[in-house]
Amino acid sequence: MEIILKTDIKGLGYKNDLVDVKPGYGRNYLIPQGFAVLATGSNKKILAENIKQAAHKAEKIKTEAESTATKLAEVTLEIKAKIGDSGKIFGKVTTLQISDALAAQGFEIDRKKIAISTPVEGAGEFTADVDLHREVKTKVNFVVVGE
């Protein structure tokens, strides 16, 4: 089943992408939730026109994402966590904590766009992947310290 995505869906595609999905997934979840529309001939024409009109705006968004990526590469965040006697942390470091730390530095990045690549089990330096744009991805460094 061919559909046109109306929003970014992790693991499937980005807004205005034409993707193939299983019929049940498209019919029972994506289309009723408003995440996608059926890829008919008229919807494909509308998509082409929308992409043409949004090309300039998309280029501006991409350049902003690239400039943010260069700034993020230089930033090292400090995440505070409770650490036990054995050196392991209580709980875990979440993408929400990283997003809040980035907001304190002046970067407004949604927590859903952040992924921690390696499990954080103790104090030390780690990296998280940040998806700023469909073509712009970067890593941000963070240090876990004890409270």
Side-chain angles (χ1 to χ4, degrees):
M1 171 181 223
E2 217 176 27
I3 59 168
I4 300 169
L5 295 177
K6 292 169 92 178
T7 60
D8 295 348
I9 298 178
K10 190 173 184 175
L12 185 59
Y14 296 96
K15 183 178 179 178
N16 293 331
D17 278 354
L18 191 67
V19 294
D20 279 327
V21 295
K22 293 194 176 190
Y25 183 50
R27 218 179 12 255
N28 297 327
Y29 178 68
L30 294 174
I31 293 172
Q33 293 292 328
F35 297 144
V37 293
L38 199 56
T40 61
S42 61
N43 283 343
K44 287 180 183 179
K45 287 180 185 176
I46 292 170
L47 173 67
E49 185 63 30
N50 287 346
I51 289 174
K52 192 167 90 172
Q53 290 178 359
H56 178 68
K57 185 177 177 183
E59 186 63 34
K60 182 180 176 188
I61 291 171
K62 182 180 175 188
T63 55
E64 288 176 5
E66 288 172 344
S67 68
T68 303
T70 57
K71 291 175 188 172
L72 277 177
E74 301 167 0
V75 172
T76 301
L77 303 173
E78 185 175 299
I79 307 292
K80 294 186 179 188
K82 293 186 179 185
I83 298 176
D85 296 333
S86 63
K88 292 194 173 200
I89 64 171
F90 294 112
K92 61 194 260 185
V93 175
T94 63
T95 57
L96 182 61
Q97 290 173 305
I98 295 172
S99 177
D100 290 343
L102 285 170
Q105 296 274 342
F107 299 102
E108 291 298 323
I109 297 173
D110 187 23
R111 67 182 176 91
K112 295 175 185 171
K113 305 264 183 195
I114 301 171
I116 301 173
S117 52
T118 57
V120 180
E121 297 177 351
E125 291 186 21
F126 300 94
T127 61
D129 300 320
V130 181
D131 185 11
L132 296 171
H133 186 267
R134 69 171 52 189
E135 299 170 7
V136 181
K137 294 167 182 37
T138 188
K139 294 186 181 286
V140 64
N141 297 317
F142 64 97
V143 178
V144 177
V145 295
E147 286 185 324

